[in-house]
Amino acid sequence: MSIITENNDIEDIKIEGEYDGIIELDQWFDPKAENSVLLILNQRIKLDHSAFEALWNSYTIKICADGAANRLFDYYRDSDGKRYHPDVIAGDMDSIREDVLEYYEAIETTTVIKQNTQYSTDFTKSVNVATLLLLGIDLNAVEINEYDGIHKLYQQADKSQLKDIPLLILNGIDGRFDHTIHSMVQFYALRRQDPYFKMCFLTMSDMIILIPSSKKGYWLKLDKVKPLIGNCGLLPLAGPNIITKTKGLKWDVEDWPTSIESGNVSSSNRFVGENCLIACEESIVMSVELKWDKITQHLIDESE
Amino acid sequence: MSIITENNDIEDIKIEGEYDGIIELDQWFDPKAENSVLLILNQRIKLDHSAFEALWNSYTIKICADGAANRLFDYYRDSDGKRYHPDVIAGDMDSIREDVLEYYEAIETTTVIKQNTQYSTDFTKSVNVATLLLLGIDLNAVEINEYDGIHKLYQQADKSQLKDIPLLILNGIDGRFDHTIHSMVQFYALRRQDPYFKMCFLTMSDMIILIPSSKKGYWLKLDKVKPLIGNCGLLPLAGPNIITKTKGLKWDVEDWPTSIESGNVSSSNRFVGENCLIACEESIVMSVELKWDKITQHLIDESE
């Protein structure tokens, strides 16, 4: 039987019992992992410069997908004329401007990788590049076929050593709506193909992550992020789902069928404690509202 | 067997054969219907003033959901100090500012309807108000219980005469992500409860509509809108679906299973002719990219 419980606004929620995993929300703001990937897509960068700078400095690998290089080029230039230099610009290069391409081709630390195949998107090309960099492959030292060399290298690579890599995506949401939904598709594609990535989309409203399907549930550890966040939603974008248990939400549910079609969708919910358990039959998308004024300060503090 | 066909960029596509209905895209830009509803939600209004003015003047019923009244109040004031006056402001009024409430309460043509129940959202309260206005009910002449009077009136009303009412929603997308998905939920809720509404979400990137499930398909009639639009996507947000037939897309499909989870999603597709047939087993969300520079001119031309 399906149960909805309204809890107090503040409760003490400890990680306890059996569970399938822990998801730390701070891993994307302050990635302490040895390796982490920041991927920028082709929309205007709306972040405050101090927030952007802190994020940029805390990620070990930075990649622009095609026209995202224009956005980075246009976004910021310091008083010496120096811009941000990504490790790689990857894609079919149908969006990058000539002047931007010329600028970055002259930068020694930036590698431009053109891949013509239309069987994968600039997003996938960039994520495949990230995998190769994580494996320590020097992309300047190997020959890369301009049609689909990256895809071939990616397929041949042994990825078994890779684990728990924070992957933060800027500009994946709030543009064209089919692009936004295509970003949601990536959650499921990546979980299938590259489960070592822990992906998060960052917007000026939210952070958006995937809670994997599980029997016992995943604990979200809010920790330092708790004061920086507001409402949250559990969004069954892949189809009807059953949230078997939550613990730590204002409105907790048990054995709750959720779907876009039925209208049973947990939106405008919120966290009552420092931790929150979520168990669902199929992987579910979660949005967590961000208080950007506080996020920016947190990013600056953590990067110092 | 599933078939994908790549067509020429331009083809002559005529409405022909048997079909279940026609959806004219221009109905939301130039609503020629006797009645039409413009509903504004609580986000900053980003439209050009000339585009907004043209839309405003072409809709017969204008409603602000709660805090949307702040946005309308702040958006524009002419040289005489006159602002836009909606027919109704509806919601639980937890977002409207005191000064805005005072201003609109003094406007004779604007009715403020406070509804405290938390069993429906400001969106639903506003759409229920729209239904009552469409039925010619004078909301100033009836007594409305402040808790859920609108819902009760709505439930009692005979809606059988209502048909094909364009309903344009501003600010339903691109805010908090759980709100965006909640907007998608409304497509399915409205189709169930108030099928007389033809709803469209307008953003600075797209128009987003629902293509109802059907055996023979719906013809999208692009007509005057054709030069104003770009890419489109068919987005299976309610779960796995089968697109049984399309005719008039760059990449047409037949018996094509589509789902977010599988990654088979038709995005970055486009129209090759003046019409396009879409048949799918379950109702599917469609996004159509807008060229706003041209849309604004179209709106101005049509409103003259």
Side-chain angles (χ1 to χ4, degrees), chain B residues 289-304:
Chain B
E289 184 184 17
L290 299 179
K291 299 173 180 165
W292 263 102
D293 49 338
K294 292 178 183 169
I295 293 280
T296 301
Q297 194 53 51
H298 175 67
L299 286 169
I300 294 167
D301 292 348
E302 293 299 321
S303 70
E304 269 164 8

Side-chain angles (χ1 to χ4, degrees), chain B residues 14-48:
Chain B
K14 288 198 167 57
I15 294 179
E16 58 185 8
E18 288 187 44
Y19 53 87
D20 290 297
I22 290 181
I23 299 170
E24 296 187 30
L25 288 195
D26 207 22
Q27 70 180 294
W28 292 285
F29 297 110
D30 180 28
K32 291 195 165 48
E34 196 184 335
N35 288 299
S36 54
V37 180
L38 177 66
L39 171 57
I40 306 178
L41 305 181
N42 186 8
Q43 278 183 47
R44 192 170 63 79
I45 300 171
K46 298 182 200 81
L47 265 70
D48 218 64

Side-chain angles (χ1 to χ4, degrees), chain A residues 142-192:
Chain A
V142 292
E143 198 172 323
I144 301 170
N145 175 316
E146 211 180 71
Y147 180 69
D148 64 353
I150 288 293
H151 181 67
K152 290 211 171 102
L153 282 174
Y154 162 82
Q155 278 187 312
Q156 289 157 10
D158 173 11
K159 296 163 283 255
S160 59
Q161 58 174 290
L162 297 177
K163 212 183 151 215
D164 293 340
I165 314 286
L167 168 60
L168 187 72
I169 315 284
L170 289 189
N171 301 341
I173 311 287
D174 292 342
R176 244 171 61 197
F177 197 64
D178 57 339
H179 284 168
T180 291
I181 300 307
H182 199 258
S183 291
M184 296 301 99
V185 165
Q186 300 304 332
F187 272 129
Y188 297 90
L190 231 60
R191 185 157 163 71
R192 224 166 21 239

Side-chain angles (χ1 to χ4, degrees), chain A residues 174-178 181-182 185 188 192 205-206 208 231-232 235 237-240 260-263 267-268 287 289, chain B residues 174-178 181-182 185 188 192 205-206 208 231-232 235 237-240 260-263 267-268 287 289:
Chain A
D174 292 342
R176 244 171 61 197
F177 197 64
D178 57 339
I181 300 307
H182 199 258
V185 165
Y188 297 90
R192 224 166 21 239
S205 311
D206 300 280
I208 306 172
N231 289 286
C232 64
L235 312 170
L237 292 177
I260 303 282
E261 194 155 8
S262 69
S267 59
S268 299
S287 65
E289 186 184 15
Chain B
D174 292 342
R176 244 170 61 196
F177 196 63
D178 57 340
I181 299 308
H182 198 257
V185 165
Y188 296 90
R192 223 165 23 237
S205 310
D206 300 280
I208 306 173
N231 289 286
C232 64
L235 311 170
L237 292 177
I260 303 283
E261 192 154 11
S262 69
S267 60
S268 299
S287 66
E289 184 184 17

Side-chain angles (χ1 to χ4, degrees), chain B residues 10 16 27 32 124 127 142 146 186 217 227 246 284 301:
Chain B
I10 299 172
E16 58 185 8
Q27 70 180 294
K32 291 195 165 48
T124 302
V127 170
V142 291
E146 212 180 70
Q186 300 304 334
T246 68
I284 199 164
D301 292 348

